[in-house]
Amino acid sequence: MKAIKVVGCILAALQFVLSVLFVYLLYVTKLIPFKWMVIIAVIMLLLPIIIVMMMKGKKSSYVGIVLSVIMSGILCYGVFLVNSTNRTLDTVTDSKTEVEQVNVYVSAEDPVDSINMAVDSGYKFGIIKNSDSENVNSIINQINSDFGTEIGVKEYDSVYDLAVAFELDNIQSFIINSGMLAVLESSDNYENYSETLKVIMEKEIETQIEEVVEEKPAFDKNRFCMYISGIDTYGSVNQKSRSDVNIIAVVNTETRTMLLVSTPRDYYVEMPCISNQKDKLTHAGVFGIDASMATLERLYDVDLNYYLRMNFSGFEEIVDELGGIDVYSEVGFTAITDDEFQQGYNHLDGKHALTFARERMAFLSGDRQRGNNQMAVIKAIVEKVESSDMLKNYSSVMDSLAGTFQTDMTKDEVGEIVQQMLEDMKSWNIYSYSVSGSDGEDVCSSLGAVGYVMYPYESDVSFGKELIQKVLGDGSISQEEINEHMNQ
């Protein structure tokens, strides 16, 4: 009998240690409201004491041992889940850098297949004037230093002019960042242009995001705007790239309201990053996420307090780890990939959810409908995260988030917002709105040539401003009101 009690006390002591660790990790994540923390701490720390006190007889000692083993197992799993959450938050919120890939290109048919051969052959190298000059010059200086020579360099006003010069053999190679090559490929004449090229030298350059966090105006943490950017790359989430998804999430935790405002990627807008010249919104991402934010802030006359950036590979993985999502489609359509989506709810895995969010060729309204579909996907993800199904794959979802998201929110700020959401377990009202415009062609400053653009409808932008201010000001909005305006 004495031996059984000793075993029971040892197990209860282990349970107590695990309880302390579990409570500590919960506190470190800063995701649980204080009053909940107190309740959890009291229960977790009292349980092993109660189990010890109940070990008076042989039968009760066996019961206590079984309870202690069960509780210790539950606590071990809880420690694992909380630690996974904490690790993910550290990774996601600590990422404050962007990566630029600067490459040296030649024609895919060129027998030259290394920078050594290009320099020995006396190649002239083209660069774009005033575009990423610091990073481009760094690779030029590296080449000059490595080979003890001064390579021939010719400057061009735009990536379009550079491509024309390359085709005319005025230059045999060119040095640009991969983002600018993506801008060139957005032109009808240069679609899939990268397939005609090969890289003979590459350099990955990491820089700090220049967004001035310290100088942001003070704002109410219960009411804020977040820029959600979906970049058109696979791999590293912190790579500078065109932003295909441009959504402002307006959040009011007091009224439990979230408004998603989508802006088409081809919206023809003024860009502060290129001296307020006009260009497609998507091209701002090539200059960095801070450039995209500044462009949208000017368009809607609002401060964007945070950003969240996700790439396509991360999107697919997260949806899969959630077990798929149920997305409501306003219309039935067949995507360019031949995937079919019915009107109403569609259960989609990561690959098909991405196809649903990216498709625009199937719609007469093009980017307008794509924006609506992207917001439908975000809404479906939010609803899935709120459901009990989230717990089934919680740890794998947390692991998939690391490296696929990037935000300038601090860990404490994430914790504060989650706590606010948990204080009142009422469901959220999620509304979506997409601005529109007229199709046309105009000069895109970063391209240096005419390309397809969408001219903004000023009434749509004005209505978007009104909706944003209503949500931030605790006003009420309705999806019916929004749909009525969008259907005018």
Side-chain angles (χ1 to χ4, degrees):
M1 178 64 191
K2 186 176 180 179
I4 295 175
K5 282 189 175 182
V6 170
V7 171
C9 289
I10 291 174
L11 288 173
L14 175 62
Q15 180 188 335
F16 184 83
V17 171
L18 288 171
S19 297
V20 172
L21 178 60
F22 178 69
V23 171
Y24 170 74
L25 289 175
L26 273 183
Y27 171 76
V28 169
T29 62
K30 301 183 183 299
L31 299 178
I32 305 297
F34 180 74
K35 63 181 181 182
W36 289 23
M37 279 295 303
V38 172
I39 295 173
I40 292 172
V42 170
I43 293 174
M44 290 293 101
L45 299 178
L46 281 180
L47 275 177
I49 298 174
I50 294 173
I51 289 175
V52 170
M53 292 177 64
M54 67 181 286
M55 294 182 183
K56 294 179 179 180
K58 186 175 181 180
K59 186 176 181 180
S60 61
S61 295
Y62 279 123
V63 172
I65 289 173
V66 172
L67 287 176
S68 189
V69 169
I70 293 173
M71 284 303 304
S72 295
I74 293 173
L75 284 168
C76 283
Y77 186 61
V79 167
F80 169 74
L81 293 182
V82 176
N83 189 55
S84 176
T85 302
N86 197 39
R87 186 174 62 249
T88 297
L89 286 175
D90 285 337
T91 301
V92 171
T93 57
D94 281 349
S95 183
K96 299 295 190 298
T97 60
E98 287 184 309
V99 171
E100 286 191 85
Q101 188 76 35
V102 181
N103 297 330
V104 181
Y105 295 93
V106 296
S107 170
E109 299 176 354
D110 195 324
V112 166
D113 57 10
S114 69
I115 188 64
N116 309 53
M117 294 176 65
V119 172
D120 290 342
S121 300
Y123 274 18
K124 285 195 181 332
F125 297 83
I127 63 173
I128 305 171
K129 190 185 301 181
N130 301 323
S131 174
D132 197 20
S133 56
E134 182 178 350
N135 292 331
V136 170
N137 286 334
S138 72
I139 202 169
I140 292 174
N141 292 335
Q142 181 180 331
I143 295 171
N144 290 338
S145 175
D146 290 346
F147 294 95
T149 184
E150 292 286 330
I151 62 173
V153 175
K154 296 188 70 173
E155 289 187 329
Y156 296 90
D157 291 331
S158 68
V159 65
Y160 184 85
D161 292 337
L162 181 145
V164 171
F166 182 67
E167 291 172 350
L168 295 175
D169 202 34
N170 294 333
I171 52 175
Q172 294 74 49
S173 178
F174 56 88
I175 308 170
I176 61 172
N177 67 55
S178 57
M180 289 305 298
L181 186 60
V183 169
L184 180 64
E185 290 186 312
S186 67
S187 170
D188 291 339
N189 296 330
Y190 289 94
E191 192 174 354
N192 300 321
Y193 187 61
S194 57
E195 296 178 5
T196 69
L197 306 170
K198 63 181 173 182
V199 178
I200 59 173
M201 181 178 177
E202 58 185 0
K203 185 175 183 179
E204 192 173 87
I205 300 171
E206 188 175 74
T207 57
Q208 288 290 322
I209 294 176
E210 295 180 359
E211 184 189 14
V212 187
V213 177
E214 296 79 9
E215 295 183 6
K216 279 185 176 180
F219 63 95
D220 184 349
K221 295 295 180 66
N222 292 317
R223 301 162 183 81
F224 62 88
C225 295
M226 171 180 281
Y227 169 50
I228 300 175
S229 170
I231 59 175
D232 64 346
T233 62
Y234 287 82
S236 175
V237 69
N238 61 348
Q239 184 172 334
K240 285 186 178 180
S241 179
R242 294 178 302 172
S243 182
D244 270 9
V245 178
N246 298 279
I247 294 174
I248 297 175
V250 189
V251 180
N252 188 320
T253 62
E254 295 287 337
T255 61
R256 312 290 286 182
T257 301
M258 179 185 296
L259 168 68
L260 302 174
V261 180
S262 175
T263 308
R265 67 192 296 276
D266 293 319
Y267 235 39
Y268 196 56
V269 291
E270 292 183 353
M271 291 190 185
C273 61
I274 48 177
S275 303
N276 298 322
Q277 298 178 65
K278 287 193 173 183
D279 204 336
K280 297 182 183 185
L281 173 60
T282 185
H283 291 169
V286 175
F287 299 93
I289 197 164
D290 54 309
S292 296
M293 292 177 72
T295 301
L296 287 170
E297 285 179 332
R298 170 163 293 193
L299 180 64
Y300 292 103
D301 191 23
V302 67
D303 291 324
L304 299 183
N305 311 114
Y306 303 111
Y307 66 77
L308 186 151
R309 176 160 57 181
M310 179 175 62
N311 61 5
F312 288 153
S313 57
F315 175 88
E316 287 188 32
E317 185 177 356
I318 289 165
V319 172
D320 285 337
E321 293 296 351
L322 284 170
I325 54 177
D326 296 313
V327 182
Y328 184 83
S329 179
E330 298 174 335
V331 295
F333 65 94
T334 301
I336 195 171
T337 57
D338 291 330
D339 292 307
E340 295 185 1
F341 301 93
Q342 65 181 15
Q343 183 180 14
Y345 282 99
N346 298 261
H347 184 76
L348 307 177
D349 60 12
K351 179 182 177 182
H352 291 96
L354 179 58
T355 299
F356 181 88
R358 295 192 70 184
E359 180 61 36
R360 62 172 174 167
M361 301 304 293
F363 313 112
L364 291 175
S365 56
D367 263 330
R368 305 169 184 81
Q369 185 60 46
R370 176 161 69 168
N372 293 338
N373 288 352
Q374 289 167 351
M375 290 186 291
V377 168
I378 291 175
K379 183 177 181 180
I381 291 175
V382 171
E383 290 173 345
K384 190 62 176 282
V385 169
E386 283 186 326
S387 73
S388 58
D389 290 344
M390 171 71 174
L391 296 175
K392 297 177 183 177
N393 302 300
Y394 183 84
S395 60
S396 55
V397 171
M398 287 295 104
D399 288 340
S400 68
L401 286 174
T404 60
F405 275 89
Q406 182 185 38
T407 180
D408 61 345
M409 280 181 140
T410 66
K411 185 177 176 180
D412 287 349
E413 286 173 327
V414 173
E416 288 175 12
I417 291 170
V418 173
Q419 286 186 39
Q420 291 163 0
M421 292 180 175
L422 292 176
E423 286 285 357
D424 183 354
M425 294 301 290
K426 293 179 181 177
S427 61
W428 279 74
N429 297 309
I430 304 176
Y431 306 98
S432 59
Y433 172 65
S434 179
V435 296
S436 189
S438 58
D439 301 322
E441 291 188 341
D442 217 315
V443 175
C444 299
S445 298
S446 60
L447 175 63
V450 172
Y452 165 78
V453 300
M454 183 184 289
Y455 297 111
Y457 287 148
E458 293 302 324
S459 60
D460 277 14
V461 175
S462 296
F463 187 67
K465 292 178 182 179
E466 292 175 15
L467 290 174
I468 291 171
Q469 293 307 317
K470 278 185 180 180
V471 173
L472 293 177
D474 296 345
S476 62
I477 61 175
S478 68
Q479 194 62 54
E480 291 75 14
E481 170 194 12
I482 293 172
N483 292 342
E484 183 179 346
H485 176 89
M486 292 174 65
N487 293 329
Q488 287 179 354

